[in-house]
Amino acid sequence: VCDFRSTDERQRDPVNWPAGVQPTVLATDYGLDMGAIATLFRSGPVTADKTRAAMESFYAEMPFTFAAQYARMMRELVEGRAPLAFNCSAGKDRTGLAAALLLTALGVPYETAVADYLLSNETYRPKAPAAGGDDPTARMFASMPKDALQALMGVDRRYLDASFKAIDARGGMDRYLADELKLSPADRETLRSRYLVAAPR
């Protein structure tokens, strides 16, 4: 299991594995920098447009901020250490990009990766943040207009586009996969041979 959550997130919500189940968990100790999101609450009224812009900014940095963790996930798969699961807290942002990058490394068309990413809007049902309590983050979320909260808690094609545009701006996907995710052409061929199934004729 590749757990992309920060140290605080893992400590706050530890996984309670069933009795007798203890997978190998690969995690990195770090503090999650939510600067772009936090700025939302310091720049006047929160709107859906501001929220989407903040999420796009966050996504533009994610391919590089989490490159080492994504590279480790890819290496596990290249080496055949599967089945493999990967997760973050919501399972849509860090995890959503990881899935899109894996599909891309496998040679899947971008539009297919986008369609897969957008499925979170159909399947993810976040808990509504409580208005009271001591958690300042929960209180801030509870105060957001409904459309702004949806922009934060949902997924949007523009977010994934921001990640891929940032990769293109820094040399393109082939360079990113090779230099950031440490995938050689042979590695990518191995991924395809291990995890793609030929369509029936």
Side-chain angles (χ1 to χ4, degrees), residues 180-192:
E180 301 287 348
L181 301 194
K182 313 303 180 189
L183 290 174
S184 68
D187 289 334
R188 292 171 69 178
E189 237 358 272
T190 297
L191 285 174
R192 291 171 184 175

Side-chain angles (χ1 to χ4, degrees), residues 197-201:
V197 177
R201 295 182 181 231

Side-chain angles (χ1 to χ4, degrees), residues 106-169:
L106 289 168
V108 172
Y110 181 62
E111 291 303 320
T112 303
V114 169
D116 179 74
Y117 168 77
L118 291 176
L119 286 174
S120 285
N121 282 334
E122 299 175 28
T123 59
Y124 177 52
R125 296 292 178 268
K127 295 181 197 172
D134 297 327
D135 185 344
T137 303
R139 286 200 304 272
M140 285 190 293
F141 286 174
S143 71
M144 294 176 72
K146 189 173 180 180
D147 58 349
L149 187 61
Q150 174 57 36
L152 182 68
M153 302 304 286
V155 292
D156 187 305
R157 182 196 175 110
R158 286 168 285 190
Y159 304 165
L160 194 62
D161 285 348
S163 289
F164 278 68
K165 285 175 183 174
I167 289 169
D168 285 344

Side-chain angles (χ1 to χ4, degrees), residues 4 14 29 44 95 131 154 173 175:
F4 300 135
D29 286 329
T95 299
M173 183 58 71
R175 189 214 65 80

